[in-house]
Amino acid sequence: MGSRARIKRIRQGKVPEHVAIIPDGNGRWAKSHGYERSRGHKRGSEVAEDLIEFVSNELSIKFMTFYTFSTENWSRPGREVSFLMTLLKEFLQKKQFKFMENNVKLRVIGDLSKLPKKTSGIVQRTVNKTTKNDGLQLVMALNYGGRQEILRATRKIIEGVKEGKTRLSNLSEEMFRSQMFAPDIPDPDLLIRTSGEERISNFLLWQMAYTELWFTDTLWPAFAPENLLDAISEYQSRERRYGQVKDKERNTPK
Ligand code: IPE
Ligand code: IPE
Ligand code: MG
């Protein structure tokens, strides 16, 4: 099937509203080509650019969350961390115009305060600049960790109770969610992780309770829109039960 026909068929099915991505394998891709790791990150950022463009033009996905830098990634060599921070700055300097053109709204989850000033500055400016765009919402998880987010929410709730703004008896899933980085964003429908690793690595722990997981051996710098279509096709064939039973089996207890 040609690519246009495939896109058309996918559009007729249920397209996930929120796709979360762990773009892994930049280092291994570079190594396999005899390059430095940094070259893998550079190529990986270009792949992300192309995918964002593809999604905003072709699919009705409303939210795409990229695991861009984890709370654990600070323990990589200083040179690699600085390279990633500079790359992110350059990526946004270049892309902010494209985001306006494609109506993309940039959002961030994670703690920006630990990022170098020049990087957090451009992140904040791009978030502000694109705030009124109502197309694809591109969510970057930056200095993000699922455990950090849960602890932060817990702390905020305890402070609220101490200050008398809320009571512990009001604590519910909804109230807890309201203290997350981006409470208005629905939980991911689909998680894609590249590079053959089949783990969550501290990403969106609270939000992924019922997310469909899809893993591929493809390394991130080799990931193409076609691979995203593979993931969505498989997603469309899955049945999400949320702990319940299939509709047609509902009235036939054995
Ligand atoms: C993912 O690629 C990018 C980031 C974590 C920023 P890696 O750098 O983890 O690549 P591998 O896993 O070493 O191949
Ligand atoms: C997850 O990849 C984080 C990002 C892609 C930003 P890692 O490469 O850091 O994860 P592990 O160490 O393989 O679990
Ligand atoms: Mg990795």
Side-chain angles (χ1 to χ4, degrees):
M1 198 188 310
S3 163
R4 292 251 49 99
R6 191 163 186 223
I7 292 171
K8 193 169 164 210
R9 204 186 55 183
I10 280 179
R11 277 200 200 127
Q12 286 161 352
K14 206 172 158 49
V15 175
E17 187 183 13
H18 181 180
V19 176
I21 301 183
I22 304 179
D24 198 13
N26 292 351
R28 278 162 284 166
W29 179 87
K31 195 170 176 203
S32 75
H33 287 79
Y35 304 146
E36 298 247 331
R37 290 178 61 84
S38 56
R39 185 128 169 219
H41 294 313
K42 179 82 179 79
R43 175 86 193 112
S45 78
E46 290 159 4
V47 162
E49 280 181 42
D50 292 348
L51 199 69
I52 294 160
E53 176 105 17
F54 172 78
V55 167
S56 59
N57 291 327
E58 302 286 358
L59 296 171
S60 61
I61 293 170
K62 187 71 196 158
F63 302 92
M64 261 217 297
T65 302
F66 279 89
Y67 206 2
T68 309
F69 193 86
S70 75
T71 46
E72 287 75 32
N73 288 149
W74 292 111
S75 49
R76 294 188 177 202
R79 242 181 90 220
E80 180 167 349
V81 171
S82 322
F83 182 86
L84 286 167
M85 292 298 151
T86 307
L87 183 65
L88 175 62
K89 185 186 75 177
E90 290 170 357
F91 175 85
L92 291 177
Q93 275 164 346
K94 177 166 159 221
K95 293 315 282 181
Q96 49 178 312
F97 307 102
K98 203 71 185 163
F99 290 167
M100 294 313 286
E101 206 178 298
N102 290 338
N103 199 18
V104 171
K105 175 173 173 156
L106 179 70
R107 312 260 317 249
V108 172
I109 55 174
D111 178 7
L112 279 187
S113 70
K114 302 266 169 2
L115 266 52
K117 279 275 162 312
K118 282 189 178 157
T119 303
S120 60
I122 180 82
V123 171
Q124 204 52 65
R125 284 197 296 284
T126 313
V127 166
N128 296 342
K129 187 171 173 169
T130 60
T131 185
K132 293 216 170 71
N133 291 350
D134 60 4
L136 173 69
Q137 297 202 20
L138 168 65
V139 188
M140 279 190 169
L142 278 176
N143 185 21
Y144 174 88
R147 288 182 172 175
Q148 167 225 50
E149 183 178 35
I150 290 170
L151 276 179
R152 178 179 166 274
T154 308
R155 245 181 235 119
K156 291 208 295 177
I157 292 164
I158 293 172
E159 276 161 21
V161 171
K162 277 211 294 214
E163 290 166 15
K165 289 185 193 147
T166 188
R167 294 159 178 241
L168 213 45
S169 56
N170 291 336
L171 184 57
S172 62
E173 285 190 15
E174 280 326 298
M175 199 259 251
F176 200 86
R177 173 189 299 276
S178 73
Q179 301 305 319
M180 299 306 226
F181 284 113
D184 61 298
I185 299 180
D187 291 345
D189 299 296
L190 173 64
L191 169 81
I192 294 175
R193 182 171 188 150
T194 58
S195 88
E197 309 298 354
E198 301 192 350
R199 56 177 170 261
I200 300 301
S201 301
N202 200 15
F203 195 31
L204 302 173
L205 296 180
W206 170 273
Q207 295 86 346
M208 288 214 283
Y210 271 101
T211 298
E212 295 295 327
L213 311 180
W214 187 82
F215 301 103
T216 174
D217 287 341
T218 304
L219 302 172
W220 179 251
F223 194 84
E226 203 58 33
N227 301 111
L228 175 68
L229 299 179
D230 292 342
I232 299 177
S233 293
E234 179 165 334
Y235 170 82
Q236 292 183 329
S237 74
R238 293 193 191 172
E239 184 187 28
R240 301 181 78 184
R241 284 194 291 280
Y242 300 96
Q244 301 174 17
V245 290
K246 287 184 191 169
D247 273 346
K248 51 179 183 298
E249 288 169 5
R250 206 166 262 285
N251 297 316
T252 53
K254 286 245 163 76

